[in-house]
Amino acid sequence: GAVVSQHPSRVICKSGTSVKIECRSLDFQATTMFWYRQFPKQSLMLMATSNEGSKATYEQGVEKDKFLINHASLTLSTLTVTSAHPEDSSFYICSANSLESYEQYFGPGTRLTVT
Amino acid sequence: ELKVEQNPLFLSMQEGKNYTIYCNYSTTSDRLYWYRQDPGKSLESLFVLLSNGAVKQEGRLMASLDTKARLSTLHITAAVHDLSATYFCAVGHWGSGTASKLTFGTGTRLQVTL
């Protein structure tokens, strides 16, 4: 199946700093990617839809100025958590579809810890 | 607002037994996904169901979709310990080509005991 990678897999940062997470589709092109967040022992919540070449669409309650999304190419989307706070500590997962399949592939996730 | 409910939330079952996980959703959709998640890991795709009456099977797992009842089931046959994980259903909506926003169910934590 198609492969989606994320980098880094784990990151620890200090409160007030910014962190960038990359999501790449390795063997297919994705005009749309999705960013999810998962808190411990909870389900996944969609944060935003990342569209190649245009602005991201954010879900209700997600601050667009805090979670900056850039989808600069058909294989790369980035999520930047700005001015991180301890409550932003979570597991961030991206996903993407290939153009030929309804299958939605998830990246391995990035565990963010803000101290 | 789309709501997706799974039950049970937690399931402890003995090896060799059969059981079914249920996924109900509140609005019309023609894309239903099942995923497996191991502790500390991301999601592994199990099934994509795209039409009413769709049934897919892989090993000891079988998934079905009834779009009229807005219900999907994941049936486990003769459970083995390796199936211990958390299982999520997710309903796709807002389609742009093949891409879908997914609303996830609460998850079912399955524990298979000897």
Side-chain angles (χ1 to χ4, degrees):
Chain A
V3 178
V4 176
S5 71
Q6 272 183 252
H7 178 80
S9 57
R10 285 180 182 270
V11 58
I12 300 172
C13 71
K14 291 190 176 177
S15 199
T17 61
S18 295
V19 173
K20 182 187 281 189
I21 302 170
E22 291 186 350
C23 175
R24 291 181 187 273
S25 56
L26 295 186
D27 49 2
F28 65 99
Q29 293 182 332
T31 55
T32 305
M33 292 183 173
F34 301 94
W35 286 95
Y36 294 84
R37 179 166 55 182
Q38 185 180 33
F39 292 108
K41 299 195 186 302
Q42 293 190 23
S43 187
L44 279 76
M45 296 294 292
L46 178 66
M47 298 176 66
T49 303
S50 173
N51 304 298
E52 188 266 336
S54 65
K55 289 184 181 179
T57 306
Y58 291 82
E59 295 300 300
Q60 195 170 10
V62 177
E63 299 174 58
K64 62 180 181 180
D65 294 330
K66 181 169 182 63
F67 298 100
L68 301 179
I69 290 173
N70 184 276
H71 194 148
S73 76
L74 287 173
T75 59
L76 173 64
S77 175
T78 59
L79 169 68
T80 302
V81 183
T82 63
S83 187
H85 289 286
E87 55 264 33
D88 299 324
S89 299
S90 188
F91 194 43
Y92 292 86
I93 313 175
C94 68
S95 72
N97 287 77
S98 72
L99 299 177
E100 293 80 32
S101 168
Y102 287 94
E103 191 78 60
Q104 190 161 138
Y105 301 99
F106 282 79
T110 296
R111 191 162 302 282
L112 170 64
T113 303
V114 184
T115 61
Chain B
E1 182 192 340
L2 173 60
K3 289 193 168 126
V4 183
E5 293 180 349
Q6 267 180 256
N7 69 84
L9 298 183
F10 178 72
L11 175 56
S12 179
M13 57 190 295
Q14 285 184 317
E15 275 202 336
K17 299 290 188 184
N18 304 331
Y19 209 83
T20 301
I21 299 170
Y22 297 88
C23 175
N24 288 91
Y25 53 97
S26 61
T27 63
T28 303
S29 174
D30 57 0
R31 308 178 189 191
L32 193 294
Y33 299 77
W34 284 97
Y35 292 94
R36 167 184 172 142
Q37 186 176 38
D38 291 295
K41 304 287 186 183
S42 187
L43 302 184
E44 175 190 346
S45 178
L46 296 175
F47 302 107
V48 183
L49 304 169
L50 298 174
S51 61
N52 186 41
V55 177
K56 289 194 175 179
Q57 182 162 8
E58 182 73 35
R60 300 176 188 274
L61 301 178
M62 183 172 72
S64 67
L65 178 62
D66 181 341
T67 58
K68 292 178 182 175
R70 297 178 189 163
L71 170 69
S72 180
T73 61
L74 181 67
H75 187 74
I76 303 153
T77 301
V80 292
H81 186 259
D82 285 352
L83 289 180
S84 298
T86 299
Y87 292 85
F88 290 98
C89 67
V91 176
H93 53 113
W94 178 84
S96 173
T98 57
S100 297
K101 292 166 58 168
L102 299 186
T103 297
F104 280 82
T106 46
T108 297
R109 188 158 77 89
L110 172 65
Q111 186 175 66
V112 181
T113 58
L114 296 171

